[in-house]
Every structure is written in structure tokens, then in C-alpha cells.
Amino acid sequence: MTDAVLPALAETPAAPAAASLTAKTRRRRALVYVQAAPMAFVFAAFFLVPLLLTLIVSFWEYNEYEIIPSFTVQNYVDVFDGCLNVADPCTTVRTYLSTLKFCALTWAFTLLIGFTVAYFVAFHVRSATMQMALFLVCTIPFWTSNVIRMISWIPLLGRNGLVNDSLLGLGLIDRPIEGLLYSDFAVVLAFVHLNTVFMIVPIFNSMARIDRSLIEAAYDAGASGWQTLWHVVVPLTKPGIAIGSIFVITLVMGDFVTVGVMGGQQIASVGKVIQVQMSALQLPAAAANAVVLLGAVMLMIVAMTRLIDLRKEL
């Protein structure tokens, strides 16, 4: 009898303790949900709901006079009309190729500039105050709007701009260079100017977390500067490179203001097509193009996250 009672008495105090622990766990979970609720509401109201409405409108019919809320897939058929002909790409394919060209060039230049600037600030500037001052210099252009920063290039790159006048005055050219403004060069230049900081900041954050003893160990092992950079710094900076790449690619893919201003309204891009359709009140067609663009951007982001596991690296 005594042997049977002792285990029961031993387990009795544990039951209230377990119940109390479970209650505390539930309260903590409830508190977490309460804390996350405002941000979840904002996310749903300003992202999920508009995205759902865009998806719904993309399946509506429209004509020259009205939008008809009836289901149709014709808008998506129009987007991909003629795209199966490889010899003669359709308008959508040519537009995406043009946008991807700008995206690739902008990504390459911003990565080169961003990595160089971040490396200098992280490894060659010792003072934290000086690092903050240099970051402030990088963010000063953001004190003005994107349009003003783009327009500031026109007096420099125009036919009678400062660059052409200087080259003519030095005798290096006989007539003004036409391709400086309202060209692919001008669009890429503006994109790099506007988006480089989005590459600098995440790369610098990754470099700031690198243990400096790893750099010293590489030098002690006989590695050269380039070997240390390629085999130590670059692998440890991959999360920052991936995050910066996501920022730059998403911004360039959906941009239409930069292409319109710096391209002289003559260069096609996906964002520009959507903007023109919205101006013509072809909202279902614009919504279908926006959904396709979102899918393309998401595929690019998924591809980058497959190459680098951001959750593991961060």
C-alpha cells in the first residue's frame, strides 16, 4: 500500500507546476499575437488587400468606355499573345528583355560600387564617427526626390550640356554626342545613381559582423589580399549581397519614372507599359501585367534565396 501511494504523492506537486507552465506559455503566445496584430493589420490592409484586388481586377473585362466585372482570361491572353514565336518575340518578351537588361546592368554596377564603398568604410575607416559621417554623405541625395535627382543629369548630359561643351572645348569631339541623354546609357546611369545606396547598406552590415580575427588568420596563413577578399570576405558578405540585390532588382523591375524621364519616353519597360495602360484607363490589362511582373520578380527572388539561405546566414 505504501509503495503504491509514494509515486502518486511524488507526482502530485508536478501537476500544478505543469499546468502553471502551460498557462504561462499560453499567455506568452497570446501576448506575441497581440504585439504582432497591429503590424499584421497594416500588412494586410496595405499589401494583401490591394494585391488581392489587383488580382481580381486582372480577370475583369473592359472596353473603351467601361470596366465590366465579369470573369475572363483575355487580359492574360493579350499579355502573352504571339510569345510562342521564338524567331519574332512578342511585345511582352521584348519589353521584359529590355527591362532585364537595365536590371542586369544596374545590378552589376551597383554591386561593384556598393561592395567597394562598403569594404572601404568597414575595413579602412577605424573611427565609428567617421563611418557614420560617410554613411550620412551616402544618404544626402535621398533628402531630395528621385525626379529632382534625375532632372539634375539633364544639364550635364544634354546636347548643349556641360559634358558636351567641355569635350567640344577641349577639341576631343567635333560635334555633340547624342547618346548621352534620352538613351539606355542615361537610364542605367540614373538607376545606378538612385539605387547604389540600397546595395551599400546591407553589404556594410554584413562586413561589420565579420570577425577581424578571421582576416588576421588568413594573412597569417600566407593568403594575399585578393585571396583573403575572395575566400573570406566575399563568402561572409553573401547575405548582404543577396539583400542588396533583392532591393535593386525589385526597384528597377517596377520603375517607370526613371525610364520615362531619362529615356525621353522612347524606351520600353514593363513598368512603363503598366503606367501607359493605367493612363488610358485600361485597368484590367494593367492589373494583368502587374500580376505577371510580380510573378517574374518573385521567381527572381526565389532563385536568389535558393542560392543563398538568408535565414541560415542571418
Side-chain angles (χ1 to χ4, degrees), residues 148-214:
I148 294 177
R149 281 181 282 161
M150 284 184 288
I151 293 176
S152 65
W153 285 105
I154 295 178
L156 293 175
L157 304 179
R159 179 180 176 84
N160 298 317
L162 181 62
V163 174
N164 274 322
D165 286 347
S166 299
L167 294 176
L168 287 171
L170 294 173
L172 298 178
I173 57 176
D174 297 329
R175 55 185 178 178
I177 302 174
E178 300 290 346
L180 292 180
L181 189 61
Y182 304 141
S183 62
D184 292 354
F185 167 79
V187 173
V188 173
L189 179 64
F191 274 139
V192 173
H193 176 208
L194 297 176
N195 298 316
T196 299
V197 71
F198 294 108
M199 191 71 79
I200 294 174
V201 174
I203 292 178
F204 173 79
N205 288 335
S206 294
M207 288 183 176
R209 297 169 53 188
I210 297 177
D211 189 352
R212 296 304 187 268
S213 62
L214 297 176

Side-chain angles (χ1 to χ4, degrees), residues 163-303:
V163 174
N164 274 322
D165 286 347
S166 299
L167 294 176
L168 287 171
L170 294 173
L172 298 178
I173 57 176
D174 297 329
R175 55 185 178 178
I177 302 174
E178 300 290 346
L180 292 180
L181 189 61
Y182 304 141
S183 62
D184 292 354
F185 167 79
V187 173
V188 173
L189 179 64
F191 274 139
V192 173
H193 176 208
L194 297 176
N195 298 316
T196 299
V197 71
F198 294 108
M199 191 71 79
I200 294 174
V201 174
I203 292 178
F204 173 79
N205 288 335
S206 294
M207 288 183 176
R209 297 169 53 188
I210 297 177
D211 189 352
R212 296 304 187 268
S213 62
L214 297 176
I215 308 295
E216 297 177 0
Y219 284 124
D220 293 341
S224 64
W226 284 106
Q227 289 174 329
T228 303
L229 176 66
W230 185 252
H231 295 288
V232 179
V233 177
V234 171
L236 295 177
T237 314
K238 284 183 179 179
I241 295 175
I243 294 173
S245 300
I246 291 173
F247 283 151
V248 171
I249 288 173
T250 53
L251 289 171
V252 174
M253 287 293 292
D255 187 280
F256 64 91
V257 177
T258 306
V259 176
V261 174
M262 302 303 293
Q265 309 297 335
Q266 301 173 6
I267 298 177
S269 71
V270 181
K272 188 63 180 176
V273 170
I274 297 173
Q275 186 263 335
V276 170
Q277 289 175 333
M278 292 184 65
S279 300
L281 299 180
Q282 299 174 355
L283 299 184
N289 273 290
V291 172
V292 174
L293 174 61
L294 177 62
V297 173
M298 291 302 297
L299 287 176
M300 297 172 68
I301 293 175
V302 169

Side-chain angles (χ1 to χ4, degrees), residues 3-312:
D3 295 339
V5 172
L6 288 177
L9 293 176
E11 294 176 359
T12 300
S20 176
L21 182 60
T22 303
K24 289 181 179 180
T25 303
R26 290 177 180 175
R27 284 196 296 270
R28 289 179 180 176
R29 289 180 178 177
L31 182 61
V32 169
Y33 285 120
V34 170
Q35 292 175 338
M39 184 58 67
F41 174 77
V42 172
F43 179 77
F46 295 100
F47 180 76
L48 294 181
V49 173
L51 184 61
L52 179 61
L53 292 176
T54 301
L55 181 61
I56 293 173
V57 173
S58 69
F59 289 102
W60 286 3
E61 295 181 3
Y62 73 98
N63 54 37
E64 297 176 355
Y65 310 102
E66 62 180 343
I67 298 174
I68 306 170
S70 60
F71 181 83
T72 180
V73 296
Q74 186 61 40
N75 297 319
Y76 290 95
V77 173
D78 293 339
V79 171
F80 296 104
D81 184 27
C83 292
L84 297 180
N85 188 355
V86 180
D88 185 17
C90 64
T91 302
T92 300
V93 172
R94 291 197 299 268
T95 304
Y96 270 89
L97 289 177
S98 175
T99 305
L100 289 173
K101 176 186 66 177
F102 292 135
C103 192
L105 291 173
T106 304
W107 174 80
F109 285 115
T110 54
L111 177 60
L112 178 62
I113 298 172
F115 189 92
T116 303
V117 173
Y119 183 86
F120 173 79
V121 175
F123 293 103
H124 293 279
V125 179
R126 302 297 182 181
S127 172
T129 303
M130 183 58 66
Q131 289 180 346
M132 293 298 296
L134 293 176
F135 265 111
L136 182 62
V137 171
C138 293
T139 58
I140 283 177
F142 283 83
W143 296 359
T144 58
S145 68
N146 287 0
V147 176
I148 294 177
R149 281 181 282 161
M150 284 184 288
I151 293 176
S152 65
W153 285 105
I154 295 178
L156 293 175
L157 304 179
R159 179 180 176 84
N160 298 317
L162 181 62
V163 174
N164 274 322
D165 286 347
S166 299
L167 294 176
L168 287 171
L170 294 173
L172 298 178
I173 57 176
D174 297 329
R175 55 185 178 178
I177 302 174
E178 300 290 346
L180 292 180
L181 189 61
Y182 304 141
S183 62
D184 292 354
F185 167 79
V187 173
V188 173
L189 179 64
F191 274 139
V192 173
H193 176 208
L194 297 176
N195 298 316
T196 299
V197 71
F198 294 108
M199 191 71 79
I200 294 174
V201 174
I203 292 178
F204 173 79
N205 288 335
S206 294
M207 288 183 176
R209 297 169 53 188
I210 297 177
D211 189 352
R212 296 304 187 268
S213 62
L214 297 176
I215 308 295
E216 297 177 0
Y219 284 124
D220 293 341
S224 64
W226 284 106
Q227 289 174 329
T228 303
L229 176 66
W230 185 252
H231 295 288
V232 179
V233 177
V234 171
L236 295 177
T237 314
K238 284 183 179 179
I241 295 175
I243 294 173
S245 300
I246 291 173
F247 283 151
V248 171
I249 288 173
T250 53
L251 289 171
V252 174
M253 287 293 292
D255 187 280
F256 64 91
V257 177
T258 306
V259 176
V261 174
M262 302 303 293
Q265 309 297 335
Q266 301 173 6
I267 298 177
S269 71
V270 181
K272 188 63 180 176
V273 170
I274 297 173
Q275 186 263 335
V276 170
Q277 289 175 333
M278 292 184 65
S279 300
L281 299 180
Q282 299 174 355
L283 299 184
N289 273 290
V291 172
V292 174
L293 174 61
L294 177 62
V297 173
M298 291 302 297
L299 287 176
M300 297 172 68
I301 293 175
V302 169
M304 285 187 290
T305 54
R306 287 293 181 90
L307 295 175
I308 301 175
D309 190 350
L310 291 179
R311 292 183 178 181
K312 181 180 178 181

